[in-house]
Amino acid sequence: MKNVRTAVVLATVLVAGIVPAALGETAAFASTSAPALLPAEVGNVASNGPITVTTGSGRPTTLRLKAAVPGGVTGPLTARIRLVLPDWPDASWSEARTAALMTSTCAVDGGEAAPCTWRAAPDPAEPRVRFVALDLPTVEAAPEIGYAVTIGLPADLGWMLGSHGARVQLRDSSDTTVSEGELQVVVDRAPETRPLGAVHARDRSGVLWRYEATGRTDMVLKARERVGGGWNAYSSVVPLDGTRALGTGDLVARDKAGVLWYYKGTGDPDAPFAPRVRVGGGWNTYTALAGHADGDLVARDRDGVLWNYTRTGLDSPLFKPRVRVGGGWNAYDRLTTMGRGVLARGKDGVLWKYDSVTSPTSPTGPNSSPARPFATPTRVGGGWKVYTAVAGTEDIVGLYDEPDVVARDASGQLWAYENRYKSGTVVPGGTPVPVGYGWNIYDMIF
């Protein structure tokens, strides 16, 4: 998974109210007296919040809890933090997978910290809600119990963007709640650390320009940077696996003689592509090309038959021999790469998403057959005929590290569609974000 910087802010929502701290002082613990809305025998759990946890940093942050235990409570007590999870970013996720990636240590009343484990915690009373839970060490009852819990989250959990509820409960040996408190978990991340995409555009003189994403919606792209001239030698240029602001991402380009060339991403934004390598001739037999999966390529011939070229893992030969996928692809007037799949626009303006079945996010699950590279298509929606160019990009305006789409209308206005999840796959959706005018100076956008 890409290296993503994500912040998790845990703020305690206390029924009894939060005691504010003076400017420059440490936040005070909230009152631990029993609130009027709870039975008198149930105490409160307060935190030192808010705290911030940065995913992927390797530096966990400590959450401190203070539980007030009512008088008369005796015996061993077990505390549990239960966190509500947001919707999955794709079908490969589960409570168990999420919990397995979360790391914590737990200590009680200043004792030595020891590893403690998050787990899936489904609730039969709320079957549609996803929970993970962390059980804290069992201790003997005391008027006040303090806990120190470190929380570490990897970059893979960057999809947990948003605000999520959590509850801390202390229970006695009869499983009766003796103390509890509410937490609100707000997940955020710094846009500048996201692995953002880049949009490329060729002007009519053959100069290729590069627009790097900013991670903002008020100014989606940075000012353009010149890649180089001579790109009007090509009749088609196709990203194989998405181009990014970091200078990564590979291309193939077909010249007017039908020779296909490979441009490997360098990882240098100032010179994003290595010198070209010849793939082979005869590619003028195809009317459309699109990358998918991990750098594979599909090509449609003049009869509407789609062919799949699987990557070898080498720079030369780049692809294995082609495999026939099937006919009928002349029903589409445009094919374009979108992440691990392909977008196909019908002549009626309806856009469809074909997700790679080699992808773990595929609605039908993984399948390695080259003759069956895609799952059943997902209908994105109608109205896409108004655009003169449609191109998949890496993440430029979306909330997740998933591909987005840019589309140019007849007036030259460029629009960005952020990613969203539909039927288990990523599609462009929502209200488009205006990128800018004047894009009719370009005859190719990818």
Side-chain angles (χ1 to χ4, degrees):
M1 193 80 176
K2 307 163 188 171
N3 186 23
V4 181
R5 183 174 181 269
T6 306
V8 179
V9 179
L10 284 84
T12 304
V13 180
L14 300 170
V15 179
I18 297 176
V19 178
L23 184 62
E25 296 179 355
T26 303
F29 284 100
S31 168
T32 58
S33 60
L37 296 180
L38 294 175
E41 67 273 11
V42 177
N44 288 330
V45 178
S47 84
N48 65 327
I51 67 167
T52 300
V53 182
T54 303
T55 65
S57 69
R59 297 185 299 274
T61 302
T62 302
L63 168 66
R64 300 188 184 278
L65 302 171
K66 185 177 289 186
V69 178
V73 174
T74 60
L77 301 179
T78 301
R80 176 178 300 165
I81 302 172
R82 194 173 70 154
L83 173 67
V84 177
L85 296 176
D87 290 339
W88 309 132
D90 60 63
S92 70
W93 286 92
S94 66
E95 292 95 331
R97 181 183 174 189
T98 304
L101 291 173
M102 302 172 69
T103 58
S104 287
T105 64
C106 302
V108 182
D109 288 332
E112 184 177 354
C116 46
T117 304
W118 291 86
R119 60 178 176 80
D123 187 344
E126 298 181 86
R128 297 183 179 274
V129 183
R130 304 177 178 98
F131 296 99
V132 291
L134 182 69
D135 291 321
L136 308 186
T138 300
V139 295
E140 288 297 314
E144 190 172 87
I145 302 174
Y147 298 90
V149 181
T150 65
I151 301 174
L153 301 176
D156 287 13
L157 294 180
W159 53 266
M160 290 176 62
L161 189 68
S163 182
H164 322 296
R167 170 169 288 189
V168 182
Q169 290 184 317
L170 269 71
R171 295 177 179 268
D172 62 18
S173 57
S174 66
D175 205 32
T176 299
T177 300
V178 300
S179 187
E180 64 183 356
E182 296 291 332
L183 304 174
Q184 188 66 22
V185 179
V186 180
V187 182
D188 196 8
R189 62 182 166 189
E192 66 273 12
T193 66
R194 289 159 53 193
L196 298 169
V199 178
H200 293 81
R202 184 186 69 184
D203 67 24
R204 300 183 191 282
S205 66
V207 175
L208 188 67
W209 299 89
R210 173 182 174 85
Y211 293 83
E212 295 178 4
T214 64
R216 296 158 46 189
T217 56
D218 58 335
M219 186 178 73
V220 175
L221 301 176
K222 297 179 182 179
R224 69 180 189 174
E225 297 286 341
R226 191 179 193 271
V227 175
W231 287 78
N232 52 357
Y234 300 119
S235 59
S236 179
V237 181
V238 175
L240 290 178
D241 54 0
T243 55
R244 301 168 190 86
L246 294 176
T248 58
D250 302 342
L251 303 176
V252 289
R254 181 185 62 194
D255 66 25
K256 295 175 183 177
V259 176
L260 194 70
W261 300 87
Y262 170 55
Y263 285 88
K264 187 174 184 177
T266 64
D268 179 2
D270 295 328
F273 305 115
R276 69 182 190 175
V277 175
R278 191 180 193 272
V279 177
W283 288 78
N284 272 343
T285 189
Y286 298 120
T287 60
L289 306 173
H292 74 100
D294 292 314
D296 296 348
L297 183 71
V298 288
R300 181 188 64 192
D301 66 23
R302 285 176 169 75
D303 295 324
V305 175
L306 195 72
W307 301 85
N308 188 25
Y309 288 85
T310 304
R311 283 285 284 269
T312 62
L314 306 172
D315 290 350
S316 182
L318 190 64
F319 299 114
K320 298 176 183 178
R322 70 179 190 175
V323 175
R324 190 181 192 274
V325 176
W329 285 79
N330 276 340
Y332 301 115
D333 65 8
R334 187 174 298 273
L335 301 179
T336 187
T337 305
M338 186 184 179
R340 294 179 57 86
V342 170
L343 290 175
R345 186 181 68 182
K347 296 176 181 179
D348 56 358
V350 174
L351 195 66
W352 299 84
K353 170 70 183 297
Y354 285 84
D355 203 37
S356 171
V357 293
T358 62
S359 168
T361 67
S362 166
T364 59
N367 186 304
S368 59
S369 170
R372 184 180 174 271
F374 301 121
T376 301
T378 299
R379 188 182 192 274
V380 178
W384 287 80
K385 199 71 173 179
V386 299
Y387 295 118
T388 59
V390 177
T393 71
E394 290 298 294
D395 185 16
I396 59 174
V397 291
L399 296 180
Y400 305 107
D401 303 325
E402 298 285 0
D404 298 322
V405 166
V406 292
R408 181 189 62 194
D409 64 27
S411 72
Q413 167 75 54
L414 191 71
W415 303 88
Y417 286 84
E418 70 177 6
N419 57 72
R420 66 184 177 93
Y421 289 89
K422 181 178 182 179
S423 302
T425 187
V426 179
V427 300
T431 302
V433 176
V435 176
Y437 289 97
W439 284 74
N440 274 340
I441 65 171
Y442 300 118
D443 62 6
M444 186 181 291
I445 298 172
F446 56 89

